[in-house]
Amino acid sequence: MTVRILNCDVLEGLAQLEDESVHCVVTSPPYWGLRDYGVDGQIGLEATPAEFVARMVEVFREVRRVLRKDGTCWMNLGDSYLNAKGEAGGVDPKQPARRHGLRPQDVAIAGIKRKDLIGIPWRVAFALQSRGWWLRSDIIWSKPNPMPESVTDRPTKAHEYVFLLTKSERYFYDAEAIKEQARY
């Protein structure tokens, strides 16, 4: 078995891979508006959710190219809330450690109000589905001990989504390998 690590921009790395050469992709793209990794052009700092979704579609076009017809793609993606303070987005001095100094931009988004949960994971999943991906499953990653949030007007987020996406109607999936003993 050969292992090759590519430490580069995702699109540069994917460009180095041959068509249909990957059996399985497991990924957790940067979440929209939550972290600044200090890299020019990084994913996650797009001005709007629509721009973020478009960027994800661009990346997953290449993921689809390198994924085998019988391959699977597992994508973990967290959500964001629209800025509740009504400030122009960017630095949040009260939460620099927890959010790496960022909060989602306070921009006008049709149908989304300040303090709304944006639905980023589903927006990305539906955009990929409309571009030919099979959206086979949404898995809830339950976090029994989630990071505390300072909000007092909604429950703390205690889950994220993992989506199973496939390139074809038929693909490799080993249901036996994930079975667990029933507990009575």
Side-chain angles (χ1 to χ4, degrees):
M1 176 159 111
T2 302
V3 175
R4 190 168 129 205
I5 297 173
L6 304 174
N7 184 13
C8 56
D9 175 82
V10 64
L11 290 175
E12 291 173 16
L14 287 165
Q16 296 178 44
L17 301 176
E18 295 179 29
D19 292 359
E20 298 195 4
S21 62
V22 175
H23 291 262
C24 179
V25 173
V26 179
T27 184
S28 181
Y31 303 167
W32 180 70
L34 295 184
R35 292 203 174 139
D36 183 349
Y37 295 99
V39 177
D40 289 337
Q42 69 189 5
I43 294 172
L45 293 186
E46 295 77 10
T48 67
E51 289 177 25
F52 175 78
V53 171
R55 188 80 181 278
M56 289 291 92
V57 166
E58 176 186 6
V59 168
F60 279 85
R61 183 179 316 123
E62 281 298 294
V63 170
R64 187 176 169 84
R65 180 187 64 77
V66 303
L67 190 65
R68 289 171 38 129
K69 285 183 175 69
D70 62 347
T72 56
C73 177
W74 304 81
M75 178 185 67
N76 164 235
L77 195 54
D79 216 336
S80 303
Y81 289 86
L82 200 61
N83 182 347
K85 300 294 184 193
E87 302 162 352
V91 175
D92 180 0
K94 294 192 307 187
Q95 300 178 8
R98 190 163 65 89
R99 294 202 184 205
H100 297 255
L102 289 181
R103 67 171 6 156
Q105 301 290 327
D106 187 20
V107 294
I109 302 169
I112 302 177
K113 302 162 297 304
R114 287 186 306 137
K115 297 182 79 169
D116 265 350
L117 181 63
I118 298 169
I120 293 283
W122 284 104
R123 290 173 190 267
V124 171
F126 290 149
L128 296 176
Q129 185 183 49
S130 73
R131 283 155 181 88
W133 285 92
W134 268 262
L135 179 55
R136 295 296 298 135
S137 187
D138 67 318
I139 300 115
I140 301 298
W141 174 16
S142 176
K143 298 178 173 186
N145 190 16
M147 183 177 297
E149 294 181 288
S150 61
V151 297
T152 58
D153 61 351
R154 65 168 171 80
T156 296
K157 290 290 284 185
H159 75 281
E160 290 182 14
Y161 287 99
V162 177
F163 293 104
L164 170 57
L165 301 157
T166 64
K167 181 175 176 174
S168 304
E169 184 176 5
R170 301 274 182 227
Y171 50 92
F172 177 77
Y173 181 77
D174 187 355
E176 291 296 317
I178 64 163
K179 283 187 177 176
E180 296 180 356
Q181 288 287 348
R183 292 187 216 165
Y184 298 99

